Amino acid sequence: MKLNVSYGLPFVSVTIEFRGQKMILEKVLVDTGSAGTIFRADIVEAIGVVPESEDLVDTIQGVGGIEYIYTKSFDAVYFDGIYINDFLVEIGSMEYGLEMDGIIGFDFIRMAGLVIDTVDMLVFCKTRDN
C-alpha cells in the first residue's frame, strides 16, 4: 500500500469492522513510536463504537499529552489485504492538532508483519518461510 505523506508523516487508509459494521478510515497515521492502535471516538461512533460499562478505561501519554481512552475489541482491522481478527483498539478524542482518523501502532505493525519502505513510500506485509 502506498504511504501518503501529510504534515510530514506517513498515512494510510484502513477498514475496520465492529459488530458486523464496516467503515473505511481514510487518514490513519502509521506510527512505530505508538505502542497501541487508537481510533478517533467521534468517527467510529458511526458504526456503534461507544463506551459501555464493561469497557476498560485508562489513560495514555504521548507527545500530545495525557488522554483518557477506552478499549474495544474489533471484529477485524483490515489493511491492504491483511487483517487481524479480534483486535483490541483504544478509542479516544485524539485532539493532537492534526486531522486524522486514527493511529496504527506498533501492536498492529508487529502482529501483521508490516514492513515500512521509506524509499518507495510503501508499507507491505513480509511473508515468512516456515
Side-chain angles (χ1 to χ4, degrees):
M1 173 181 282
K2 188 80 173 156
L3 289 169
N4 299 306
V5 177
S6 185
Y7 311 107
L9 298 168
F11 286 86
V12 294
S13 65
V14 298
T15 300
I16 58 174
E17 183 175 353
F18 182 77
R19 297 181 181 162
Q21 299 288 318
K22 286 187 179 181
M23 166 183 263
I24 297 172
L25 302 177
E26 296 288 346
K27 198 163 191 176
V28 180
L29 177 65
V30 178
D31 188 354
T32 61
S34 176
T37 295
I38 183 169
F39 297 142
R40 212 168 95 197
D42 62 337
I43 292 177
V44 298
E45 183 178 64
I47 58 168
V49 180
V50 294
E52 296 172 298
S53 60
E54 67 273 8
D55 293 338
L56 174 64
V57 177
D58 204 352
T59 58
I60 57 173
Q61 183 171 351
V63 175
I66 296 174
E67 177 177 3
Y68 291 97
I69 54 99
Y70 62 96
T71 304
K72 288 287 193 187
S73 179
F74 279 66
D75 300 347
V77 176
Y78 302 87
F79 180 89
D80 196 37
I82 303 160
Y83 64 93
I84 299 176
N85 290 320
D86 301 316
F87 190 70
L88 288 177
V89 175
E90 297 165 345
I91 308 298
S93 63
M94 297 188 63
E95 295 174 10
Y96 307 149
L98 306 174
E99 183 184 332
M100 69 174 87
D101 300 334
I103 296 172
I104 290 293
F106 190 69
D107 56 347
F108 186 90
I109 292 167
R110 186 171 183 205
M111 285 182 80
L114 299 183
V115 175
I116 302 167
D117 177 347
T118 58
V119 173
D120 294 322
M121 295 305 290
L122 298 170
V123 60
F124 56 90
C125 180
K126 181 176 181 179
T127 58
R128 298 183 180 149
D129 296 327
N130 293 335

